[in-house]
Each structure stands twice: as structure tokens, then as C-alpha cells.
């Protein structure tokens, strides 16, 4: 039996979402956002020279059809990406009313979100007092810090000293449907932070808040760093996903990165975590060892967390080039008949205003089945296609493009 590898390059959008005007960064609609296209343009213009230089170089994904996928998605060219596609290529459009991690991943796995997410207002305070009281009670603390929209690093910088002195957790949100809690791994305790997030998660999920995210950090104030021990406590998908379909057919499902968190470990046999560098080694290892008929579902998050939200064009370009440069090792280990699909869950254009995700179509490029132009497809069609490749029943609304 053949195997499937579904790899989500978190936030690597391709522009062109038909409803981008309904999604905003501040007061600016996402119309015209194009993560890949604008990064490539910045590189050609010499505006992404920190730690790298020159045009954006992603020869492996471009050879499969990445540049063609961006042109199809947005109508805009991706400078320097003009290879004739040698793999499966197309672009996918999302229907769920969110530009967030659960919406994108669930829909890629065959389940569009059937409800409206709850978003906290961009004001101070952002959270109701009864929620803050409950967080403090569960934490065994006399209060909380933050209570606003913020980016992770600046809010830790702002409240680090008081957090270290009082032990009060730092609570914040973003334009996504999330509730985030930052705390020091040593002075507050990693296990304590994880238990706090786990305990408060049902309250947030009942409000239709998509995720409670533990954001641990270490070091001293002014010289701290967030660690790879982040954990997402996501609301459970409303219906069986691709992971359940595959597992229900008696096959194995291997999760890499935060996939286990996103799907509340439902339909997943094992989870492998770490930095993106660690995750790629897990991907290579599973290319060697994954069972016949299995699904490996991976998320590489650092494009989004380290560079997209921080609007770091050079860093995002470096990450893209690093990822592409590793792919040959992965391809060499795939077996005849295996299918590897590379896609994304939303955009996060680092040239855009604001700090939040951008509503975009996403590229869909594949290795293993030869040249295949799939055109414009839906996110749910990715799940249906992976199921068709593995020979398991598809239970969602998607249609296979294979």
C-alpha cells in the first residue's frame, strides 16, 4: 500500500482569496495580501537582505509547481519562480469564516467549521472579569497580567518583572479566536502552566474560542526566550476528520508538530514535536519508517510564529529557503507510489500592515504522482484526495482531484 504525507507550511499563503475584503488587520482589509508573492518581490528588490541575499530561492518546490500555483491563486507572478511544473500543482480556497489555525487545518482535513468563532474585542480589558477571576483561581494566584490584544514577545517584555515577582500569569489574545497564557517555566512552572491551560480550556471552548495556548518562556527579564514547550488546547473538531477516516480503516496516523494539539489527539496514533529543524528530522525519519497505508500529517509553524506575525520579511525568506533546501533528503526516502502534498492553512504576509494572519488562498503542490494540474480546488478537496490515494472512504464534502 502507498503512503501519504500531508505537510502544512503554516501561513505560507498565495494571495487571491475571493473574500479577503471581509477580513482585516486593524482597519485595513486583507485584499491584495500575498505572502509568497510579496516575499519574492521584496527579495528581488533587495529588501530582504538580513541573513540572506538576492532573489528568493526555492528550487525544489518551484520545480513541483509553486510559482505556477501562486499565479493561479492570485493572478500575480512570483519573481524568479517560472519553472515548468513537474509535479501536482494548484491552489485551494477556504470557506470557513476564519483565518486561523483550527479553521484551516480542520478544513484541509475535510471538516469546514460550522459555527462562528468567538473573538475578544481589541480593547483594554479584552476579557470579562469573571474569566480572569477563574484563571487566577485555577492558577492559585491573586491576579492576572495583560488582559489585552498583544504579540507574545512584547507582552512578556512588558510584564516579565511583575510576573516573576508575583507569579501572576500573563493573559493575552490576538485577532484569532485564542486565549494565550505566558509564564516562566521555572519560577511559575511548566507543569503548572500546562495544567492551568488544560483546566481553563473547557470554559473557553464553551464560548467557541478555538484554542487556549500555553506560552512558556525561560531566562531573565530583558534576556528571555520562548521555548518549544508551547501547547495548544484546541476545541475538538465537530465531525470525524481525515485522521479519523484513516485510523478507522485500520491505518496509522503520525502527527508532526502541533497537529496533535489542533485535532485534540483524535484520530492520531503518535505525536512528534520540537523546533522546525527537529520536525524536519521527524519527517525524514517517517519517510523511512512509516507503515504502508499510513498518513503522516505535519505542521511547520515557525514561518508563522517567528516571522509572519513579527513582519520579518528576511526571516520568513530564510525559513522558506531553509525548508526547501531540506526537501531533497525527504524526497530521496519516499517509496514508489507515495504522495507528499505541501500546502498551507492561511496567510501571514510579512509585508502587510498589522501583525495578524492574512486571508489568502494557499498553494497545493505534490510530489510522487508526476505532472498533474489540479486547478482551483477547495481545502476539503485535499482531504478527499489524500483519502482516495490511501484507498480509505472519504466522509466529508470534498472531491478528490487525483
Amino acid at each position: 500500500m502507498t503512503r501519504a504525507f500531508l505537510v502544512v507550511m503554516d501561513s505560507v499563503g498565495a494571495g487571491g482569496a475571493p473574500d479577503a475584503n471581509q477580513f482585516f488587520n486593524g482597519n485595513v482589509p486583507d485584499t491584495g495580501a500575498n505572502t509568497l508573492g510579496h516575499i519574492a518581490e521584496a527579495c528581488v528588490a533587495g529588501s530582504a537582505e538580513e541573513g540572506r541575499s538576492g532573489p528568493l530561492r526555492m528550487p525544489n518546490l518551484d520545480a513541483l509547481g509553486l510559482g505556477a500555483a501562486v499565479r493561479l491563486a492570485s493572478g500575480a507572478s512570483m519573481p524568479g519562480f517560472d519553472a515548468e511544473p513537474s509535479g501536482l500543482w494548484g491552489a485551494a480556497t477556504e470557506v470557513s469564516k476564519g483565518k486561523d489555525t483550527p479553521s484551516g487545518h480542520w478544513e484541509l482535513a475535510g471538516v469546514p467549521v460550522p459555527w462562528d468563532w468567538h473573538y475578544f474585542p481589541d480593547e483594554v480589558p479584552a476579557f470579562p472579569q469573571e474569566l480572569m477571576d477563574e484563571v487566577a483561581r485555577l492558577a492559585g494566584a491573586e491576579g492576572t497580567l495583560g488582559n489585552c490584544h498583544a504579540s507574545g514577545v512584547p507582552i512578556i517584555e512588558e510584564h516579565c518583572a511583575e510576573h516573576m515577582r508575583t507569579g501572576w500569569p500573563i493573559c493575552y489574545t490576538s485577532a484569532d479566536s485564542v486565549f494565550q497564557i505566558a509564564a516562566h517555566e521555572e519560577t511559575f512552572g511548566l507543569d503548572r502552566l500546562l495544567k492551568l491551560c488544560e483546566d481553563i480550556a473547557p470554559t473557553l471552548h464553551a464560548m467557541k474560542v478555538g484554542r487556549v495556548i500555553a506560552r512558556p518562556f525561560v531566562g531573565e527579564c530583558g534576556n528571555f526566550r520562548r521555548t518549544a514547550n508551547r501547547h495548544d488546547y484546541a476545541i475538538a473538531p465537530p465531525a470525524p476528520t481525515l485522521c479519523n477516516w484513516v485510523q478507522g480503516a485500520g491505518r496509522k496516523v503520525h502527527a508532526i508538530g502541533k497537529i496533535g494539539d489542533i485535532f485534540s489527539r483524535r484520530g492520531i496514533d503518535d505525536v512528534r514535536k520540537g523546533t522546525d529543524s527537529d520536525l524536519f528530522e521527524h519527517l525524514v525519519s517517517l519517510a523511512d519508517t512509516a507503515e504502508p497505508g499510513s498518513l503522516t500529517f505535519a505542521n511547520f509553524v515557525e514561518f508563522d510564529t517567528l516571522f509572519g506575525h513579527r513582519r520579518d520579511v528576511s526571516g520568513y525568506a530564510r525559513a522558506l529557503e531553509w525548508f526547501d533546501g531540506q526537501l531533497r533528503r525527504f524526497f530521496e526516502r519516499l517509496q514508489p507510489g507515495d504522495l507528499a502534498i505541501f500546502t498551507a492553512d492561511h496567510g501571514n504576509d510579512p509585508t502587510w500592515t498589522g501583525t495578524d494572519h492574512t486571508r489568502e488562498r494557499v498553494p497545493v503542490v505534490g510530489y510522487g504522482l508526476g505532472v498533474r494540474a489540479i486547478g482551483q480546488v477547495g481545502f476539503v478537496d485535499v482531504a478527499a484526495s489524500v483519502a482516495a490515494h490511501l484507498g480509505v472512504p472519504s466522509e466529508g464534502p470534498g472531491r478528490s482531484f487525483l
Side-chain angles (χ1 to χ4, degrees), residues 57-361:
R57 299 175 182 87
M58 300 175 65
N60 291 304
L61 287 176
D62 186 32
L64 292 179
L66 183 62
V70 173
R71 289 191 295 274
L72 177 66
S74 63
S77 64
M78 191 174 171
F81 286 67
D82 52 8
E84 186 69 23
S86 64
L88 180 152
W89 67 278
T93 303
E94 184 177 10
V95 299
S96 299
K97 297 303 181 184
K99 51 177 180 176
D100 55 87
T101 293
S103 296
H105 282 79
W106 290 359
E107 195 167 324
L108 287 170
V111 181
V113 179
W115 56 64
D116 290 333
W117 295 109
H118 177 78
Y119 300 94
F120 292 107
D122 191 0
E123 56 190 42
V124 180
F127 309 124
Q129 187 58 47
E130 56 268 27
L131 177 60
M132 292 294 90
D133 291 343
E134 182 64 4
V135 171
R137 185 188 71 81
L138 291 171
E142 295 183 1
T144 61
L145 302 168
N147 198 348
C148 60
H149 279 239
S151 183
V153 171
I155 198 167
I156 294 173
E157 289 176 342
E158 179 180 353
H159 295 291
C160 180
E162 190 174 1
H163 166 73
M164 300 278 277
R165 179 177 60 83
T166 64
W168 292 10
I170 304 170
C171 304
Y172 62 104
T173 188
S174 71
D176 287 347
S177 181
V178 296
F179 184 82
Q180 305 187 72
I181 306 178
H184 196 281
E185 285 195 3
E186 295 165 358
T187 63
F188 187 89
L190 177 60
D191 290 343
R192 181 183 173 197
L193 171 61
L194 297 179
K195 187 175 189 308
L196 170 60
C197 291
E198 182 179 10
D199 289 347
I200 197 64
T203 300
L204 275 300
H205 294 166
M207 298 167 63
K208 289 297 186 285
V209 174
R211 288 175 293 161
V212 175
I213 306 178
R215 292 287 197 173
F217 63 96
V218 295
E220 299 177 355
C221 296
N223 187 30
F224 67 86
R225 63 176 179 84
R226 297 197 291 182
T227 75
N229 292 321
R230 160 186 171 157
H231 192 92
D232 292 34
Y233 296 85
I235 191 170
T241 70
L242 172 66
C243 302
N244 301 105
W245 311 344
V246 174
Q247 196 179 67
R251 316 286 185 78
K252 294 292 186 181
V253 178
H254 305 288
I256 296 177
K258 63 179 185 177
I259 295 298
D261 297 341
I262 294 167
F263 291 94
S264 300
R265 304 260 338 210
R266 298 189 179 189
I268 291 170
D269 289 286
D270 60 79
V271 177
R272 306 180 186 205
K273 290 193 169 186
T275 65
D276 274 11
S277 179
D278 298 329
L279 300 184
F280 205 95
E281 297 309 314
H282 294 318
L283 183 64
V284 169
S285 174
L286 282 165
D288 283 330
T289 62
E291 304 84 354
S294 64
L295 167 65
T296 295
F297 199 167
N299 170 281
F300 287 83
V301 74
E302 291 178 3
F303 304 107
D304 184 58
T305 57
L306 298 186
F307 308 114
H309 287 298
R310 300 179 188 181
R311 297 302 189 247
D312 181 350
V313 181
S314 295
Y316 208 131
R318 289 196 309 271
L320 289 169
E321 291 175 333
W322 168 82
F323 183 86
D324 190 85
Q326 303 299 310
L327 286 177
R328 188 51 51 189
R329 292 193 297 132
F330 172 58
F331 293 157
E332 289 171 350
R333 288 166 169 79
L334 294 179
Q335 300 169 6
D338 285 348
L339 172 64
I341 289 180
F342 300 88
T343 187
D345 53 343
H346 49 71
N348 201 347
D349 187 341
T351 73
W352 211 245
T353 186
T355 61
D356 297 316
H357 297 151
T358 43
R359 180 71 163 187
E360 302 179 39
R361 287 186 170 121

Side-chain angles (χ1 to χ4, degrees), residues 15-28:
D19 57 357
N21 64 331
Q22 300 175 32
F23 296 82
F24 294 82
N25 265 260
N27 296 322
V28 179

